[in-house]
Amino acid sequence: MVKIVYFMTPLSNGGIEKMVISWIEHMNANEVHIDIVPQGIKNEEAKRHLESLGCNIYNMPLRQRNIIQKISFIRKLFKSNHYDIVHVHTSVAFDFLPLVIAKYFSIKHRIMHSHNTNTFNNSYIKKWTQNISKFFSRYYATHFFACSKDAGYNMFGEKKIKDKLIVVKNGIEVEKFKFNAYKRKQIRDEYGLSEKIVFGHIGRFNKQKNHNFLIETFYQITKLRENVILLLIGEGELVGNCKRQIEELGISDKVFFLGVRKNVNDYLQAMDIFMFPSLYEGLGVVLIEAQCSGLPCIVSKEIVDEAILTDKIEKIDLKLTALDWANIAVDRINSEEMRNNAWIDVMKNDYSIKSSSEWLEHFYLNLVK
């Protein structure tokens, strides 16, 4: 059996955590054992689920900012466990420390895995520390993974690792996200949306997801069409800010804040158009899910090419105004969309969780042969 340890972001409801859980769910526990070291635990249910899958959870809380404490924590972990592979899942190059200590402990296989394209901090000090971190990540990692080419180049530098970068596809449960007319009617009836045109967004309420611009765009849409609704799924530090913005615009009766939902697949069925104006994305798994359900998607030009799987996507420059975005979105309302066969494009591009988890499992097994 191959023993692996994942170092990762806090265990919450974020995209990295969900992707990691999906991979582990679909791997053979008799061939691969994975332990998890999150930087804090915000989702006890996710923790219990990972433990039920056979993972040991070693919590490294966010309060351990002290580098000496972190080194001590990781050293004790490596002394107590004999890992074959260290795999770091992150959005920033700063998280290279486990790779350094892994090399000291003669762990031969050390993977750095980039899950995003931009940390959105352009200060001189941040840029300097990022460049230093990139150097150490390249030096101590033996393998370079990313969810897209852009995510990899952002983490490691394009010229340095272009021929070594491995893009690992963030697969989804295709069957779960196929268009389902019954589920669509069920959700729309539950919320009284049967006669409405439903726009939707799924994602954490933070700066990256650009909710303020999304809400401004929807406000412009309400001036162009009367029977429109916006569904917002997710949680985050900017929820309160967004609620105030909606109240100030006078559209509270047209916007549903739904929080975190386990059955986002059902809510995608209920939508008519998916909006995704992110400032940056490593990939955007939810966009893959939306396409699988056959939704037309209005997205920013910052979305990486690997995430474009169907002809139902409209890429728009964020330099355009919210009214420009609204006009384009309204034009899509009037187009007839066939949703039943969109999942085929997802399968053709190997974005099923079955194929991506099988690939990852085989990679691990072949690595330690």
Side-chain angles (χ1 to χ4, degrees), residues 114-157:
S114 175
H115 287 267
N116 219 330
T117 55
N118 193 331
T119 55
F120 211 74
N121 191 318
N122 295 318
S123 71
Y124 174 80
I125 293 176
K126 284 289 185 181
K127 283 185 176 180
W128 183 81
T129 53
Q130 284 169 7
N131 288 333
I132 295 296
S133 299
K134 286 179 182 181
F135 170 80
F136 283 110
S137 295
R138 292 193 301 265
Y139 183 80
Y140 286 101
T142 56
H143 296 83
F144 308 96
F145 283 7
C147 59
S148 66
K149 287 182 180 179
D150 285 356
Y153 297 157
N154 178 70
M155 176 76 72
F156 308 113

Side-chain angles (χ1 to χ4, degrees), residues 100-115:
V100 178
I101 302 172
K103 185 171 184 178
Y104 174 81
F105 276 86
S106 300
I107 300 175
K108 293 181 179 179
H109 311 295
R110 304 178 298 275
I111 302 169
M112 191 71 159
H113 194 150
S114 175
H115 287 267

Side-chain angles (χ1 to χ4, degrees), residues 331-344:
D331 285 344
R332 293 305 296 263
I333 293 173
N334 298 321
S335 63
E336 292 187 9
E337 298 287 351
M338 297 297 292
R339 296 179 62 172
N340 289 323
N341 297 321
W343 64 272
I344 296 173

Side-chain angles (χ1 to χ4, degrees), residues 11-120:
L11 197 57
S12 59
N13 293 300
I16 294 178
E17 304 90 88
K18 289 179 180 178
M19 196 66 249
V20 163
I21 290 171
S22 291
W23 278 326
I24 294 173
E25 285 175 335
H26 290 83
M27 287 188 203
N28 185 344
N30 295 318
E31 296 283 352
V32 174
H33 173 82
I34 298 175
D35 289 339
I36 308 289
V37 183
Q39 297 182 52
I41 297 174
K42 300 178 181 179
N43 186 335
E44 288 292 334
E45 185 178 350
K47 176 179 178 288
R48 289 191 295 272
H49 180 53
L50 283 166
E51 289 173 335
S52 74
L53 295 171
C55 302
N56 297 309
I57 312 296
Y58 300 99
N59 183 23
M60 186 164 65
L62 283 171
R63 66 175 178 271
Q64 291 192 7
R65 299 285 186 183
N66 187 300
I67 188 69
I68 303 301
Q69 288 181 310
K70 286 194 172 185
I71 291 172
S72 176
F73 179 94
I74 298 169
R75 280 172 58 89
K76 287 178 182 177
L77 178 70
F78 288 166
K79 280 183 179 179
S80 303
N81 300 275
H82 301 286
Y83 293 114
D84 300 297
I85 300 170
V86 173
H87 190 155
V88 178
H89 294 271
T90 183
S91 296
V92 291
F94 305 131
D95 292 331
F96 63 84
L97 183 61
L99 303 178
V100 178
I101 302 172
K103 185 171 184 178
Y104 174 81
F105 276 86
S106 300
I107 300 175
K108 293 181 179 179
H109 311 295
R110 304 178 298 275
I111 302 169
M112 191 71 159
H113 194 150
S114 175
H115 287 267
N116 219 330
T117 55
N118 193 331
T119 55
F120 211 74

Side-chain angles (χ1 to χ4, degrees), residues 181-197:
Y182 172 76
K183 288 291 184 183
R184 174 178 170 83
K185 184 177 186 305
Q186 186 179 49
I187 295 290
R188 290 174 74 92
D189 286 349
E190 179 182 347
Y191 289 91
L193 306 176
S194 57
E195 301 299 322
K196 304 292 185 180
I197 297 165

Side-chain angles (χ1 to χ4, degrees), residues 313-353:
I313 287 196
E314 186 95 33
K315 268 190 170 188
I316 310 177
D317 198 323
L318 286 170
K319 293 178 182 177
L320 295 179
T321 67
L323 179 58
D324 293 328
W325 275 64
N327 281 318
I328 293 169
V330 167
D331 285 344
R332 293 305 296 263
I333 293 173
N334 298 321
S335 63
E336 292 187 9
E337 298 287 351
M338 297 297 292
R339 296 179 62 172
N340 289 323
N341 297 321
W343 64 272
I344 296 173
D345 291 320
V346 176
M347 292 294 290
K348 283 180 179 177
N349 286 279
D350 291 327
Y351 272 96
S352 75
I353 188 61

